[in-house]
Amino acid sequence: MVPKFKPSPLRIRSFCTKTVQQNPHHWPIKQITKTNFNESLSEIKNHISSSDFIAVSLQNTGSFSSPWHRVSTFDTPETAYLKAKFAAERFQILQFAICPFKLQASKVIAYPYNFHLFPRDELKMGMPSYSFTCQTSYLTAMAKEGFDFNTCIYDGISYLSEAQESTVKVRMGNPMAVDHATKSSSSPALSVADTVFIERVRSRVKHWKNACTDSDIKTEAALVTSLRKIVLGGEQFGSRPSMTIDVCSERQVQLVLKMLEDFSDVLVPLIIPAKGGGTQAVRAVLTSSDEDKDLLKRELQTFEFEQNKRVRGFREVIDLISASQKPLVAHNSLNDFTFIHSKFLAPLPPNMNEFICSLRLAFPQVIDVNYLLKDIGPVKKMTNISATIAYLKNRFFAPIEMEIPNQANENEGKIHGHNVVKICQLFGKLCSILKITPDAIESSDDFLASAINRYANIFYSLPGSSQEPTNEEIRGWTNDKRKVSCEDVVFLWGFRERISAGILKNMLQGSHEVFAEAFNVRMVDRSCAIVVFGKPGLSNTFKNVMNSKAVSGPLREMVSDGLKAAGYETYQRVCSSGLWESALADALDKTLASHNCLSEAAYETKQSEIYLSNELINLAEL
Amino acid sequence: MKKRWPITILYRAFSSSTTSTTASFPLKHVKKSNFDSALSSLRHHVQAADFVAIDLEMTGITSAPWRDSFEFDRFDVRYLKVKDSAEKFAVIQFGVSPFRWDPLKQSFITHPHNFFIFQRQELPLDGAAYEFLCQTTSMDFLAKYQFDFNACIHEGVSYLSREQEDKALKHVNSTYEDESLDSWHSLKEIRDTHLFNIPDILFAERMKDRLSEWLGGLLRNRDGGSEVQPSFNDSKQQFETIFFKMRPAISLNGFTSHQLLLIQLVVRKHFKDLAYLRVSGENSCSQNVIVYIESESDKKMLMKEVKDEQKIDAEMSIKASIGFRHVIDLLSSEKKLIVGHNCFLDIAHIYSKFFGPLPLTAEEFISSVNKYFPHIIDTKILLNSNSILQQRMKKSSTSLSKAFSVLCPQIALGSKSTHLALQPSVKVEVEVDDIRSSNWNSGVKHEAGYDAFMTGCVFAQACSHLGIDFKQQSSSENLAHNEKLREHVNLLYLSWTNGEIINLSTGNRTSESLASNKRKNHYPKILFECIVIVWGFPSHLKAWDIRECISKVYGPTSVISVYHVDETAVFVQFSRAEMVSKFLDLKGSLDRNNDPISVLHPLAKLLEGGNTCAASYETYKEICSSTVSKVLFADQAKAVGIKWKTKLVESSDKTKEHESLRKVKAVNSDPSCGERTKNKNFDDHPCSFNGSRRTNTNLPIELLSEIFEELTDCENISHRAAVCMSFMASCHQNFLPSTFISSSISFLHCSHNHHQNLALSSNVQTHKHHQMFLPQLKESRCASTSYDGWLLTLPFDRKQNLYLSNPFARDRIKLGTAQALRVVTSISPLDPKCVVLDIHK
């Protein structure tokens, strides 16, 4: 299991390099705010294009509000996604750390950046977000790490998502140059009204053009010039004369554009979009020559480019990453990429498949280090990167040197974003343990691609294949982990609060014959538990018993006290309908109530399987 | 970073000093570190005060644009909006400024305090995590005024509301009392587990030996003298002999939790006179001890002792986390006059943060607020309601900073401004810690402490203008009972936008008296039963379009106003209440029917896209009361769980029937209907009055054909659809081949926009244009007219088929692949003799 490494010349050389930093607290991570954002962009761009991988890590204002909102072992990928979606839509990213890095032998060369973000409404359009939720515990934890909220809010970089940018473009009403897509190729038949319209506009344009180009007029008195201007309706567009032609339909736009083609030697048509979409007017700009025409077109392009850049803000970096098509490395990818998708791409789609498709368009390869860890073998899922690194350090000999050639930060501020470097480090370690070695990277890109592809784009990985013995023993679990079909899971609620799983199990054991067979009880939160039946079909028997009048004995007693049961499909419905009550019991009750009025919706639970493992529902945390 | 805060604060304090000569020392900022001392001094100041001015800074005001305050807010809706705001946003700064009249100095003395508050989750309470909403624009606004977020989050004073405190105490009581004696510690889950593996068994044996060794030594020691046991305290210090509650004990250090579990099992199994305990030691980390006990009763005593101590600890920590609420309790118990500026929202925040969840209705809220704070004065109302003050204000705006600079120029602008000296002014002296100044100006607006100070100054000055002479006011007399103030006490703006005032002591609501005047009433009196809320309509429709659309059906005077709630929703105010149910009925029937006629109905424009929903004002209230806050109203309605498209106003069947009949009449007498006389004939026909709308389809065919002959105008067809859908649908089935359509309608142009699938039709006789929604046009580029109202649709893809489609019947005739440029038909395509001529390129 322990891979052996020959000391490579590179390693020896790196001992002499001063930039090798092993102490995480001295990692020079470049802190980027509004003030130094623009100047850093080109540097970041270079680092991204020369890197092998890009690690990302987010600092959000919260994750889950109630214990059951957390992605847990009893979630299918679909419900896990819905939970992540709910969080991503409410909370905000305050820090976005990216780290383009290269793997060379046992060395990681990393260029970490930590961006401070704040969703400032720069355009006064309620974008990028009208409001966001903060969890006090998250803010307090950030405060303990010395996070500077003032820097973040005063100086954070704003952004707009791709979807927002396109709506903003329309609303800002900037003139757009006419491209061929907007010109209709078909030539619709002209009605009489159309002909009249065209001729009227044509004569107007002709007069105006003649007036502008006629050199004689320049000698006229100022009064006459201004009068002429009023009569002809001429305007200035920048330094060039222009004329606005009002239109009332898209057809008229086409007609005007077609008519203006006759003047294409000197006139450049621009489309002025209306605020609510569609076209408000067509503006014809007069140019003096072909060169001038090109110049105008270039000017328009740079103007648009500059404005877009201003509007996009931090998304410029996301676009750079996306354009580079480099594989991304993350630690908790479902969580991070739902955030990234909702803040920088578009609103999150309603289900996991669409999400993955949509995300893949922007980021073709996303690697979750947690998933790599799974291949290592008996590793329990660790949420903490440092703990994972320490764990690997104890078990495997895979020294990784971190080289961070960044200049140390000039400002005295605290350095944030260590996680992203730790992810690089962990990824480096894992690559060397799993023998996705750096040599392979250099020798054959295909090999790397296939090796990486094995791990890419798995957003919801099931926990490791076996567990270490844990200290919190929950009685009745014989196997540490089993695959459980959703069909065998029943949600149970309506019992006394603060009951333990053990007591509940005891209570159930004698209550009905379905509990004669092996079954397990697990608390989801204080209000709700899940019961897992060992034998298929018993769950249905139990649900039927609960709903029938024939319920008798101790179970009847419990039902009279308010005990309720529902199958996994009810839970899925809770997640998909967005009833995120703070107690799962309330959410289940509400779903059942609203569902009773509607027709039975078919939920396919048969195929989906969830894992139940001993260790992930930690009662102390609930 | 920490070192930067004082700099920031100083910067804020001194930034203004460059422009004014007034004394400017910083506000008294209260944070975690100086809270206790500040509280005790504040206690004295409040007790001595004549009134206390307050101000709050929040992380936001409205959780969604449509939750903003509108003219169309009924008082209960207004309260729901305030409630939503107070529940979602956090208070991050609380300014308290007690004002005391000093008869010697002939001036007020005030001590402005600026509390940074931030609720942390200090107690292990169950349930949801504490969270709050931030409105981006509000945060940006605070940032603009250099608000120190670090001071707030790092060092803000935490608090517990009364309700949270009660809950926590109950929780403690139940954990320490209800359950059996030894179940309170976390070890109750442990039962006799079998030791599974060899290492565990060996470890357990070792522990057993060591414990019996210790116990033996202990007993020997007690019996025989002073022999010490240095050998037992091993090198790792894992076993440390201590005294626990006057009993010898071992403190266990450095074991893993699994090992501790095994030790616990060993103790239980083998040692009757040892007890294993997990207690919370100093600095809140738990400590595992094994205590020697003499007997079972001794054990019980020990347990009780430990339990009581822990309970007291837990209660102490709850008391300690009350934090800032002490200030609120102080204000409430002293029953001082509270002065705020436009403070209804502030009071709601205070209630929800420091007392408990806000009641569901405004009435309940008002009565309980009055219990906690018997006297509240809102300076904004005071300034607006009194004519003397209005004169003083010179009709300027009543925003706090404006009022302050107009009423208290000597403070606001510094003593230099002499031209205002004529105005009698109340002197206010500020005391911060030991520094005093009579013209203090910290210069930082929107800092709660300073805003509270300004509010107090405005109030003091306003009182003096009202003729209250502080010199003669005895200190014992409560200012709130002063005759000149009596009519202003406990009045709050429920909504500043429509000037609705609520009296906290009586619960009466009044509109702002006419004397107050500056307010122009843009809107006529709003009757909420005349209002329909419509949402989910096509986004390009603006208020004017919607108004026009509805006016076409009910006449030009039917709609009083259309008001945008946000871009996805509008209020439509009808002139009469019964039109609400009429409109909803009509919309409901249009939703249900999918026949071609609904396409031509004037309302079709509004219903385009199929997502348009409408309901009465009560539904709007229901949506407002939801805890969800989506940015767009249409999304909110969906999130609230509204699945219907139209919510009819509930009324008995009889009235409905009656109404539907009246509707027939009303529409027919609509002046926009072309041929009135003919329609009248139709109305006079006895059959049309038989039975309700739904049975109209059963009209005899002859009658229908007779009616049909009258209908020669496309527009009339649209209006007929308003009369009854099913009726028109049946007409169509029976008479589609008739010639009226071909004679009157020609299709001019179909939209190229394949998302919209619109066709523009024109009536040759009236020269009027109509838009039609035609899903068949999907994927088709262009369509042109050929014959009889049939459209030729050209697909985008040349390989796909050409069709002739009939927009009325939704019929399609396949013509083959699109090689043709034009298609000419000889006669109606329905005729078997029809010949299609297609011209190839």
Side-chain angles (χ1 to χ4, degrees), chain B residues 22-268:
Chain B
T22 47
S24 74
F25 40 87
L27 262 172
K28 186 176 175 69
H29 293 288
V30 185
K31 298 171 192 169
K32 242 188 325 196
S33 48
N34 62 343
F35 177 70
D36 289 336
S37 64
L39 179 65
S40 65
S41 66
L42 183 68
R43 201 176 288 278
H44 298 296
H45 298 318
V46 168
Q47 274 158 0
D50 291 302
F51 65 92
V52 183
I54 56 160
D55 189 72
L56 276 65
E57 290 298 331
M58 288 82 90
T59 57
I61 308 289
T62 51
S63 58
W66 57 270
R67 292 230 195 229
D68 226 332
S69 131
F70 298 134
E71 274 90 342
F72 282 93
D73 290 341
R74 200 165 56 194
F75 81 99
D76 49 351
V77 168
R78 179 69 203 137
Y79 172 71
L80 288 174
K81 286 180 173 179
V82 167
K83 176 171 175 277
D84 173 76
S85 174
E87 281 167 350
K88 290 211 171 88
F89 294 103
V91 174
I92 45 178
Q93 218 178 38
F94 200 111
V96 178
S97 196
F99 280 70
R100 173 175 64 89
W101 178 255
D102 188 337
L104 296 173
K105 290 191 167 170
Q106 295 290 303
S107 85
F108 271 107
I109 294 182
T110 184
H111 301 82
H113 285 66
N114 191 37
F115 291 90
F116 283 96
I117 61 177
F118 186 72
Q119 190 174 27
R120 282 178 209 85
Q121 209 151 11
E122 288 172 342
L123 297 173
L125 275 178
D126 49 325
Y130 288 175
E131 52 187 41
F132 60 89
L133 205 61
C134 297
Q135 197 181 339
T136 334
T137 44
S138 300
M139 299 297 274
D140 211 25
F141 174 81
L142 289 171
K144 209 167 79 193
Y145 288 94
Q146 304 273 321
F147 185 88
D148 192 350
F149 295 98
N150 282 339
C152 174
I153 298 167
H154 291 237
E155 285 196 290
V157 185
S158 187
Y159 59 86
L160 275 188
S161 76
R162 289 191 183 178
E163 210 235 355
Q164 284 166 326
E165 186 195 351
D166 288 349
K167 230 177 169 179
L169 287 175
K170 250 182 220 151
H171 177 79
V172 166
N173 283 336
S174 69
T175 17
Y176 288 99
E177 272 165 22
D178 294 354
E179 293 176 34
S180 59
L181 198 64
D182 57 347
S183 65
W184 50 270
H185 56 82
S186 60
L187 304 171
K188 61 183 174 182
E189 294 281 318
I190 302 308
R191 312 252 150 76
D192 290 333
T193 343
H194 297 291
L195 299 177
F196 291 116
N197 48 28
I198 298 298
D200 280 0
I201 293 167
L202 289 180
F203 179 80
E205 279 304 309
R206 163 67 58 82
M207 287 300 127
K208 192 177 150 193
D209 290 348
R210 289 179 73 173
L211 285 176
S212 51
E213 186 191 329
W214 179 77
L215 191 63
L218 189 75
L219 293 174
R220 241 181 293 125
N221 201 356
R222 197 177 56 173
D223 298 339
S226 58
E227 189 198 334
V228 281
Q229 295 173 294
S231 61
F232 188 75
N233 289 338
D234 58 336
S235 57
K236 281 196 207 154
Q237 297 284 314
Q238 284 186 317
F239 281 59
E240 192 187 350
T241 307
I242 55 163
F243 279 91
F244 184 78
K245 305 275 169 225
M246 316 282 285
R247 293 168 185 87
I250 312 171
S251 162
L252 303 170
N253 302 312
F255 289 102
T256 67
S257 55
H258 184 66
Q259 288 168 333
L260 286 173
L261 188 87
L262 292 173
I263 295 172
Q264 194 184 347
L265 283 174
V266 168
V267 171
R268 253 206 213 169

Side-chain angles (χ1 to χ4, degrees), chain B residues 352-370:
Chain B
S352 86
K353 300 288 180 301
F354 307 112
F355 295 112
L358 284 165
L360 290 172
T361 64
E363 289 83 356
E364 282 173 70
F365 170 68
I366 285 154
S367 69
S368 29
V369 164
N370 200 39

